[in-house]
Structures are given as structure tokens and as C-alpha cells.
Amino acid sequence: MRLTVRHQLRYQYDQPVVLQPHMLYLYPRTYPYQRLQHYELTIDPVPSKVVRNVDVEGNVQQLVYFSGPTNHLHITAEIEVDSEPFNSLDFVLFPFEAQRVPLKYPAQVRPLLETYLTREGVTPAIETWARQLAAGVGWQTVPFLIALNNAIRQFTYATREEGAPYPPEQTLLEQRGSCRDYTTLFMAACRSLGLAARFVSGYLFGSAQQEHQLHAWAEVYLPGAGWRGFDPTENSVVVNNHVFLASSARAELTAPVSGTFTGKANSVLEADVRIKN
């Protein structure tokens, strides 16, 4: 199917400001089953320069430079991707020891995964919870990931458009959060059992709750399968209705727009996402 995304961000300033360079993560990543067919980025005021590159984690990063004062910044990204049906669970874990958690990665890949294995945010409460879920499915890797998805899906969803993800233990104890809170908790639970996990920012088609906002989910590195997506907000594995923008070991490094301005103005942001097929 073809998915079309229109993402608009409108910043208004109550007096003129000078925009410093801004960093955009609004260009979709390519996956074997998802191909970019069209991309258009419109920025007002017109930037003096746009540099498109690849960052340290393989994401397409756009650096935008401005000149002169302005009282607004409007950014619109229009994306079309062809997304084929994909069975995210069609793989064989190898070596076979990877079929159980806690997991130890082969020596040749573990150094490359260290940044996705950091235990930041992993508390005793989270590790105990993760171990209880794993014990309930016989310490099997994939059933653990599915059980973790299902457990988080039972929490109360809260729309929260701004701010960093809550600490994972806060989300666990309150059993409430947004998609980025759920994703950060999912990652912490995975890392507590030796599973490399990363935060993914993008869009989701087919969910009335998520279709008009940026979405977040997790990817886990599985030997023999590579990076595979799990969406605890939807209690699903990632198939062909997710559109990927950026992934990182740290959620804050996937922000769609980041930058500063000089001046004493107050700013207001309006954002709108439209996705259809």
C-alpha cells in the first residue's frame, strides 16, 4: 500500500527573533519492505541553506540555516512511501542460545550494540517486573517481548504532546503514559535482560488515537533477525503501517525539530499530522 504523510509544524514568536541552525529528523528511513516515492520539505522563512546528511546512528539528518529576523517558522514535510506486507516474526534466532533471556550477544556484535544496552533508567523494580514476565513465558525471548508489549498495553494511555519521556519506573508505577513513555519503559525492561533496544520516532497509519500526531515505538536487536519493531502502545509487532523517521539509543535524539533563537520572544507551537493511504 502507499502511505501519504503531511506533517506541519508552525512556530509563532510574539516579536522578531533570529533563528539559529535547526536540526530536522523529518526524512523517512528506508527499510527492505518500505520505499520512499516522494519527499518534499517546505520551510518559511526560506532558509539560506539546507544540508542533508546521515548521522552517527544512520538517520537522515537535515541541518537548516537561516538569515535575518522573523516572527514565525513554518515547516511542512510531505512524504509518500510504498509499504509492503511484512511478517515481523518470520525469522529464526541464531545462535540458538538467543532464544532465551537474559541474552548474551555474540562477541563480534556486542561492542557495536553497547550504546543500546546501557542500563540508564533500569531500576530494581523494572528488572523484577521484567523477570516476572520472562518467567511467565519460560524465559523465551520472543514470547517475553510479546508479553511485555501486552503488559504495557494494559496501562492507561495519556496524550502528552510535549516534554521528555517520563522515567521508566514512573510509568511502571503509575501504569499511565504516552507512546514515548511506553516505549522508554519497554526499552528499559529489554535492557534489564540483556536485549539491545532503541527508540523509534515516526508515524502510524490505522490507529485513530495516533494518526494525527508523531508516534513512537521500540526496536530490539535479535541475532538472526536484526532490528525488529515492537509497539507497546498498540500491543503489536511493527509491520507495514509504521513509517520510520529516526531511531536512537536516546529518545531525545529523535526530536523532529530542534534548534534555538536569539531574542526575548515567547513562542507557541502548533503541530498537525495527516496520514492516509
Side-chain angles (χ1 to χ4, degrees):
M1 67 178 171
R2 177 161 295 188
L3 298 177
T4 301
V5 181
R6 180 180 176 87
H7 190 172
Q8 294 181 299
L9 300 108
R10 297 179 291 272
Y11 297 85
Q12 296 294 144
Y13 309 100
D14 59 8
Q15 56 182 293
V17 300
V18 175
L19 298 171
Q20 299 301 305
H22 278 53
M23 184 183 301
L24 275 56
Y25 283 107
L26 288 169
Y27 192 100
R29 292 186 64 154
T30 300
Y31 278 69
Y33 55 90
Q34 199 165 77
R35 297 180 302 279
L36 179 64
Q37 297 297 333
H38 173 76
Y39 181 80
E40 184 175 352
L41 179 68
T42 305
I43 302 175
D44 178 26
V46 176
S48 58
K49 190 175 186 63
V50 178
V51 177
R52 186 176 295 168
N53 55 32
V54 178
D55 75 3
V56 69
E57 294 186 86
N59 304 299
V60 176
Q61 177 190 81
Q62 299 179 95
L63 298 174
V64 185
Y65 299 86
F66 301 92
S67 60
T70 182
N71 61 4
H72 68 274
L73 172 59
H74 296 171
I75 300 171
T76 301
E78 296 182 84
I79 301 165
E80 289 185 10
V81 297
D82 280 344
S83 191
E84 300 171 357
F86 173 65
N87 182 355
S88 193
L89 297 178
D90 184 19
F91 55 79
V92 176
L93 292 176
F94 184 84
F96 297 120
E97 292 81 1
Q99 295 182 34
R100 295 177 65 82
V101 290
L103 191 148
K104 292 186 178 180
Y105 288 100
Q108 64 268 32
V109 300
R110 184 176 175 88
L112 304 176
L113 295 171
E114 288 292 348
T115 190
Y116 306 104
L117 287 164
T118 59
R119 292 176 63 87
E120 181 180 352
V122 177
T123 64
I126 286 175
E127 184 160 1
T128 297
W129 177 63
R131 286 181 171 273
Q132 289 172 344
L133 290 173
V137 293
W139 300 93
Q140 298 177 77
T141 302
V142 174
F144 162 70
L145 294 169
I146 293 172
L148 179 58
N149 244 4
N150 183 63
I152 296 174
R153 183 65 176 85
Q154 308 309 311
F155 296 175
T156 300
Y157 188 81
T159 300
R160 193 165 60 85
E161 296 183 357
E162 297 182 10
Y166 289 144
E169 185 169 320
Q170 178 179 343
T171 303
L172 175 61
L173 295 178
E174 295 182 357
Q175 298 197 7
R176 178 184 178 87
S178 67
C179 59
R180 61 189 180 282
D181 303 320
Y182 288 178
T183 298
T184 304
L185 173 59
F186 186 100
M187 292 166 57
C190 287
R191 291 176 179 183
S192 76
L193 294 182
L195 290 163
R198 65 187 184 185
F199 187 98
V200 185
S201 171
Y203 311 104
L204 172 62
F205 173 73
S207 167
Q209 180 172 264
Q210 302 296 334
E211 278 188 9
H212 300 296
Q213 58 191 21
L214 202 65
H215 189 47
W217 60 95
E219 285 186 328
V220 180
Y221 189 83
L222 300 171
W227 290 105
R228 296 286 167 144
F230 295 84
D231 187 340
T233 304
E234 298 293 310
N235 189 20
S236 69
V237 295
V238 171
V239 286
N240 66 327
N241 53 346
H242 290 71
V243 178
F244 304 73
L245 287 180
S247 63
S248 177
R250 304 179 66 91
E252 64 270 22
L253 298 182
T254 66
V257 178
S258 58
T260 60
F261 60 82
T262 56
K264 297 182 179 180
N266 295 311
S267 64
V268 175
L269 168 63
E270 293 181 358
D272 182 65
V273 173
R274 306 284 174 176
I275 179 168
K276 60 182 182 180
N277 73 341

